[in-house]
Amino acid sequence: MTAPGRGPIAFALAVGVCIDAFLVRMTLVPAVLALVGRAGWWLPKWLDRLLPDLDIEGERLTADRQKDGTDGHGPTPPVAVGASSCISPRRMS
């Protein structure tokens, strides 16, 4: 059993969500950010000091690996010259 006023409220909510998703978030927000340029990404210094420095995409980790000259998997073990010729596939089975 449905309440008599539920249909129009649900429809209004669905229209509001669609307007927010498509008109505001996909059109107006990118347009305003393009107009204001770098000022759209401005953050007060006091707030920047309070927020943690998150490295989400791993840029700091990549820079550290390039600085160390490693790929992050530890040192590469030495390989003997001709080691592949002394073990044949027949001996391994």
Side-chain angles (χ1 to χ4, degrees):
M1 195 178 232
T2 59
R6 188 181 297 175
I9 292 174
F11 180 73
L13 181 63
V15 169
V17 167
C18 289
I19 288 173
D20 178 55
F22 293 109
L23 182 67
V24 175
R25 295 180 192 237
M26 292 179 69
T27 306
L28 295 178
V29 171
V32 169
L33 285 174
L35 288 174
V36 297
R38 301 239 346 131
W41 300 103
W42 177 76
L43 184 67
K45 290 196 182 287
W46 64 268
L47 184 58
D48 191 26
R49 286 190 298 267
L50 290 176
L51 295 174
D53 185 21
L54 299 177
D55 187 19
I56 295 173
E57 295 182 3
E59 291 176 7
R60 190 179 319 131
L61 181 62
T62 303
D64 289 345
R65 287 181 178 173
Q66 288 175 352
K67 184 177 69 174
D68 294 342
T70 63
D71 61 355
H73 298 292
T76 306
V79 178
V81 176
S84 62
S85 63
C86 55
I87 300 175
S88 68
R90 286 180 272 144
R91 290 167 124 186
M92 294 176 67
S93 57

